[in-house]
Amino acid sequence: MSATVLTASALLLDMDGTLVNSDAVVERCWRRWAVKHGLDPEAALKVVHGRQGYATMAVLLPDRPVEENYADNRVMLAEETADVDGVVPIGGAAAFMAAIAGLPHALVTSADSALATARMGAAALPMPAVRVTAEQVSASKPDPEGFLKGAAELGFGPADCIVFEDSEAGIAAGRAAGMRVVGVGPRAATLSPDAHVEDLTQVRVEAAGDGTIRLHISEA
């Protein structure tokens, strides 16, 4: 096992697949939606992670009017918010969040505020004071808008921020924002992030004397 040390001024955290394991509910809801629209559920699940629902629908049904995607997305968000069965923290997430509690960090998620609150609550994780949710951006990941807004709200430039992400869309968004990326979990393993961990037990946080954050990452 090798160790990597990354230094940053602020951390930008995805939620689903990074802090919270919500795969069970995501798969339940999206399988139902795919079957309803005559799509292969397995193929649909390959593109759902990391994006806002309407953006996933646009990929899967490219000829459908965008208004229908937005309408379906509202229904999907309500279903996902009401269903927290099986939502649990990613390994090490509670200790990681405790370690960064006094350090600059923000949640940057494709979930809306209600869904983010429901899932962080179900996983018994603290909600960051600074957060960028679906309502606050005009474009879904892989667009970098959310990460750039999170960095700006924290008062740091992109090069001073490190993103934690699990999905292809999220990692692409972090890169497009000009940020380094720590990939979390199996989806991230093949996407060449700057560092990769199976879960957050492999990350040790150190607050350096100069105000920076040092991440000691034990890579598998």
Side-chain angles (χ1 to χ4, degrees), residues 59-110:
V59 171
L60 295 170
L61 295 173
D63 298 325
R64 194 166 79 146
V66 67
E67 292 80 12
E68 292 185 35
N69 294 338
Y70 281 120
D72 260 16
N73 188 44
R74 286 191 290 272
V75 174
M76 178 70 75
L77 283 170
E79 289 179 357
E80 290 187 293
T81 302
D83 183 357
V84 294
D85 186 29
V87 174
V88 295
I90 293 290
F96 175 78
M97 294 300 287
I100 67 170
L103 303 173
H105 68 281
L107 189 74
V108 181
T109 176
S110 293

Side-chain angles (χ1 to χ4, degrees), residues 124-142:
L125 294 175
M127 178 66 82
V130 177
R131 47 194 178 269
V132 180
T133 57
E135 301 96 328
Q136 295 164 269
V137 296
S138 60
S140 171
K141 299 171 186 178

